[in-house]
Structure formats: C-alpha cells, structure tokens
Amino acid sequence: MLTPGVDLRGLPLTPEEGFVASRLDGATDLHALSIVTGLSLERVEAALERLVSLGAVSLPEVVDEDEPVAGDEPAGTHRELYETVLRQLAPDERATRAKAAEEPELSTFCFDPLPAVIHALLDNPRFSLPQARLVATHHRTPSGLEALAARAAFAADAGVRRALLRNPQLSTGLLRRLHGGRRLLEQHKLVVSRDVPEQTRRAARELLRARFSTAEAEERVEVIVKTEGRCLTALAGLPVDGKTAALLCSRTYTSTLLVQNISRWAACPPALIAHLMRQELVRRSPPLKVLLKRHPNAPAGS
C-alpha cells in the first residue's frame, strides 16, 4: 500500500511506475494488478520494487510457515496432528477427507507427502493462501508443487513463490515457469542466493545464461553494472553484441570492483578495454592498468 504522506509527484517515477502506484489500494494482489494495469507480473513487480526503494510503498507482512495460519494454530501443531492422527489413515481416505476438510484438518493435510492428497486439497473451496504457503514450504514431491503452482492466484503470491524457490523438490521446469521471464538482475540474485538449494542455484544459472543470450542490450548492461560485474562469472563464454559493447563503452566508470571484474571477463570486447584504459579511475590506478593490459583482447599498444 502507498506510504501515508508521500507525494508521488515529487518522486522520480517513470510513467509506468506512476501508473502502477495509482492502482494500489492495499488490497489488490500482484495478479490482480497485472490484470488491471495490463502489464506483466514481472513489470508490475519491478515497478513495486522501485516504489518500495523510494519509500512510496510499504509492503504487507508475508505470512511465515511458523506463524499462526487459518485456525490460529502454529505450523508445528498442524505437523504434530498429522503425524499422530492423519498419517495413520489409508491414502484414499486421506485424499477424500482433504477435499472437504475444515480447520484444523485443512492445514494439517498440507503436511501430507502424497501428491494425490495435495490435489484433493486444491479442490477444497476452503483452501487459500495460508495453506498454499504451507504446501509450498513442506511438500516434497515435484508433482504436488507443480499442481499448486498451476493455480495462478497462488503462483502470484510472493510468499508461495519464495517457499517454492527454497523447496529442494522444485523442478527445473517449474523454476523456468516461475523465474524464466524475470529480468536478468532478478535472475542473478537467485543464482547467488544462499536461501535456495544448490540444485536450484545451478538451474538458475542456466536460466540466466539462456536469458542473457536473448535479452535486450540495455538489460545486459544493467545486470553487468548493477552487480559490479559479479554476474560475469556465471556468464563465462557468452559473447555480447555490438550494441551492448557500445552501451558499455558510453559509460563513465568509478567502481574499482566493476573494472576488476570486467578485466577478468574473457569475452570483454577490445573496444571496452580501450575505453576503460582512458577512465580517470584506471589512469590513477597502476594495478587496474596492469589487469587490463594483460587481457587477451587488449588492443595492441594500450
């Protein structure tokens, strides 16, 4: 929701960011905002991130799996109830009961390991976001997680998405659906995140490489500059086109780390090395000069 007292007219917003801000009412979720504005979920989220960074928007608290959910029972209580009572039932009976369950059984069935029970829960009209977050956090089969994410209202929820990304059973296909269309900068954050399993980081790295190969030049430059070149390690071996090189050569460089990382980038264009050599930062730093001169693509006589 909009932060009280903030004058949007005094903020450096793009027309798109201002449009998204004008549609915020504190109740409309991301999926609904995407429909209302006609923008993709990724563009709505990018606008919201910008609004948050400027202090114009305050994000609501996300329900944690250990916080009380529907029925005012902590997740630990639901897990204990499942292990001591419901787990003893036959699989078919659990699925039947899950389809019509009410609290506290409704949230308790979220701990069931069988995909059939999760499918039954999804058919329960009482199943909502608190239970979706529990399933995304605790369920351990790819098919169950995919069934959950197939419901757009749940897949659009930040809490559900975060839990799915942290779940070790997240499949590469589902990761691609959740994150494949995101901006390069967001994809890089996932590659280096310590909150997700190693196999998810590896899959995210391949998504980043595939996305980088088809992204617009401006977006490529954005991820290189905003990560201070840290992303280049994951992008090793991928060349850049002429427009990307030209945009990189049009910038003034003041970050030592960025220049260092570019100097270790095997695909660095010769023109960019020459441009960096002319930067005031490099001219005053003999170690940076040496790094750039040692690059295989350094122009002769640089």
Side-chain angles (χ1 to χ4, degrees), residues 9-32:
R9 293 170 297 181
L11 298 176
L13 300 178
T14 65
E16 184 167 291
E17 291 162 356
F19 180 48
V20 171
S22 71
R23 296 298 183 267
L24 297 177
D25 57 11
T28 306
D29 61 16
L30 281 175
H31 183 65

Side-chain angles (χ1 to χ4, degrees), residues 262-283:
I262 290 177
S263 71
R264 300 184 182 102
W265 177 27
C268 181
L272 179 55
I273 296 175
H275 176 70
L276 291 174
M277 291 292 289
R278 295 191 294 269
Q279 298 296 298
E280 186 68 21
L281 173 69
V282 175
R283 289 164 58 187

Side-chain angles (χ1 to χ4, degrees), residues 103-181:
E103 289 295 356
E105 279 195 359
L106 179 61
S107 292
T108 299
F109 274 119
C110 295
F111 293 87
D112 198 292
L114 296 182
V117 175
I118 302 305
H119 280 271
L121 276 176
L122 290 167
D123 289 336
N124 188 319
R126 300 177 186 86
F127 187 90
S128 59
L129 277 178
Q131 291 78 38
R133 290 166 182 157
L134 284 174
V135 171
T137 300
H138 299 287
H139 189 66
R140 291 295 185 264
T141 72
S143 59
L145 297 179
E146 297 214 8
L148 175 69
R151 304 294 178 93
F154 298 145
D157 177 69
V160 171
R161 294 173 69 93
R162 186 180 300 110
L164 286 171
L165 291 172
R166 293 174 176 174
N167 194 309
Q169 290 300 314
L170 179 74
S171 67
T172 300
L174 182 49
L175 173 63
R176 188 176 295 111
R177 282 170 48 203
L178 291 174
H179 227 66

